[in-house]
Amino acid sequence: MTAIDDLPPLREVIARHDLRAKKQLGQNFLLDLNLTARIARAAGDLTQCDVLEIGPGPGGLTRGLLAEGARHVLAIEKDARAIPALEEIAAAYPGRLTIIHGDALQVDPLAHLTSPIRVAANLPYNIGTELLIRWLTPPDWPPFWQSLTLMFQKEVAQRIVAKPGGKAYGRLALLAQWRCEVQIVLTLPPQAFVPAPKVESAVVQLTALPEPRFPADAKILSELTASAFNQRRKMLRASLRGVHPEIESLLTQSGIPPTARAEEIGLEAFCTLARNLEAARRQG
Ligand code: SAM
C-alpha cells in the first residue's frame, strides 16, 4: 500500500477533530485511502472535470478525487465538525477544493461548478435515493453532469441496474436506464466502513447518454411507471386503469398483453406505451 498524499491517516484526522459517526447523518466513513482512490478512478478521467461530492465527511473520497487529478472538487457537507478537517485538505491542494457547509438538498451547486462536471459520492443513505431521482429528472436532457459515481446500500444499487423479471426491477431501473448507461463497478463488505453498516454496499456508475434510449415524454413515462409499479402485483389493465379509459387497447397497440404485470415489461415497451398514451390524449 502506498500513500496517496502527504496528509495524515484518516483515523488520526477523525480522532483529532472528534468526528465520531452520527447515525442520523448517515455517517459510515471509508478510511482506506487506496479504496477511495479506486472509487475515484471508477469515476473516469477527472483531470479536465469539476467534481461535485456530497457528504465528504472527514474527506477520504475527497482526497481520492484530488489525488486522482480532479481539476476542482466542490464538497457539500452538513456536519459542521467535518469542516476544519476538510479545510486541511483544501490547504494541501490550493485552489482545487471548495467546501460548502450546508444541506445538499437545499444548496444549488451549479453556481460553483464549471462544465464538464462529474458527481462522486458515498451518499448518506437517508437522502441518497432522493438526490439520485433529482439528478435523473432534470427539466432538460442532457443534464449538468456527465456521470454519477455513487455508493449505495447494495440493495439500492441492484434496483438501479435491474432488468425486467425480478423484484428489484421497478421505477428506479427504468428512470436510470432510460437515459443512462448503468453499471455496478464495485461491491464493498460492511467492514470497509467505520462504523460497519448492517448490509453490503456497492458503487454504481451512471453515464448520461446524449439522448434517451427511446423517445417518450418524461412526465408521461414517469406517471405510467408510478401507476404500474405502485400496484406491481396487479395486471397492467387494472393498475393503469386510471391513466386512460382505453388503456386495454393502448396496451395491445403497444405490444403489451393487458394481463401482463409491470415487472415483466421492458423499457422499450414502456416508452412505446407512453407515446401511444400521449397520442390518445391529444386526440381525446
Ligand atoms: N464521504 C465520506 C466517506 O466516504 O467516508 C462520508 C460518507 S457518509 C456515508 C455520508 C456523509 O454525508 C456524512 O459525512 C454526513 O455528515 C453527510 N451528510 C448527511 N446528510 C447530508 C446532507 N443533507 N447534505 C450534505 N451532507 C450530508
Side-chain angles (χ1 to χ4, degrees), residues 25-30 55-57 76-78 103-104 122 124 127:
L25 283 170
Q27 291 182 334
N28 299 96
F29 300 134
L30 286 168
I76 304 177
E77 173 57 58
K78 192 170 175 182
D103 181 343
N122 173 12
I127 61 165

Side-chain angles (χ1 to χ4, degrees), residues 225-270:
T225 52
S227 301
F229 286 97
N230 279 348
Q231 304 182 67
R232 59 188 297 144
R233 306 191 64 80
K234 285 195 174 169
M235 292 178 191
L236 287 167
R237 67 176 176 209
S239 58
L240 295 181
R241 189 179 294 146
V243 305
H244 197 276
E246 308 290 329
I247 192 63
E248 201 147 340
S249 70
L250 287 173
L251 283 162
T252 310
Q253 189 190 332
S254 310
I256 301 172
T259 53
R261 288 174 173 80
E263 70 183 37
E264 299 162 38
I265 305 305
L267 173 61
E268 185 169 10
F270 267 114

Side-chain angles (χ1 to χ4, degrees), residues 42-248:
D45 181 3
L46 304 177
T47 55
Q48 309 299 320
C49 290
D50 277 14
V51 181
L52 169 63
E53 186 192 358
I54 306 299
L61 180 57
T62 321
R63 286 165 64 174
L65 295 165
L66 290 163
E68 287 303 313
R71 178 177 69 187
H72 173 234
V73 176
L74 173 67
I76 304 177
E77 173 57 58
K78 192 170 175 182
D79 188 348
R81 298 176 308 160
I83 305 301
L86 294 165
E87 279 165 354
E88 291 172 7
I89 305 172
Y93 289 94
R96 289 176 57 201
L97 173 60
T98 304
I99 304 152
I100 295 184
H101 175 214
D103 181 343
L105 293 174
Q106 309 296 333
V107 173
D108 175 11
L110 287 184
H112 307 270
L113 292 166
T114 308
S115 286
I117 299 162
R118 295 185 188 270
V119 179
N122 173 12
L123 289 170
Y125 73 94
N126 47 343
I127 61 165
T129 319
E130 180 170 351
L131 280 171
L132 174 62
I133 288 175
R134 280 194 197 183
W135 289 325
L136 289 173
T137 54
D140 299 307
W141 198 267
F144 74 86
W145 48 269
Q146 280 189 342
S147 65
L148 310 172
T149 307
L150 305 174
M151 176 95 67
F152 287 103
Q153 296 182 355
K154 190 173 166 193
E155 173 268 327
V156 177
Q158 285 168 333
R159 278 168 44 210
I160 297 167
V161 303
K163 296 290 173 205
K167 264 203 273 179
Y169 182 67
R171 276 195 94 202
L172 205 51
L174 286 159
L175 221 53
Q177 295 171 35
W178 183 39
R179 301 197 277 200
C180 298
E181 212 60 81
V182 299
Q183 199 190 352
I184 292 183
V185 289
L186 199 63
T187 303
L188 294 178
Q191 310 82 268
F193 302 85
V194 174
K198 289 204 176 66
V199 293
E200 284 187 303
S201 300
V203 177
V204 190
Q205 174 81 359
L206 299 101
T207 308
L209 296 168
E211 284 181 39
R213 264 176 229 281
F214 309 103
D217 177 83
K219 281 213 175 78
I220 294 186
L221 189 61
S222 173
E223 177 194 344
L224 267 180
T225 52
S227 301
F229 286 97
N230 279 348
Q231 304 182 67
R232 59 188 297 144
R233 306 191 64 80
K234 285 195 174 169
M235 292 178 191
L236 287 167
R237 67 176 176 209
S239 58
L240 295 181
R241 189 179 294 146
V243 305
H244 197 276
E246 308 290 329
I247 192 63
E248 201 147 340

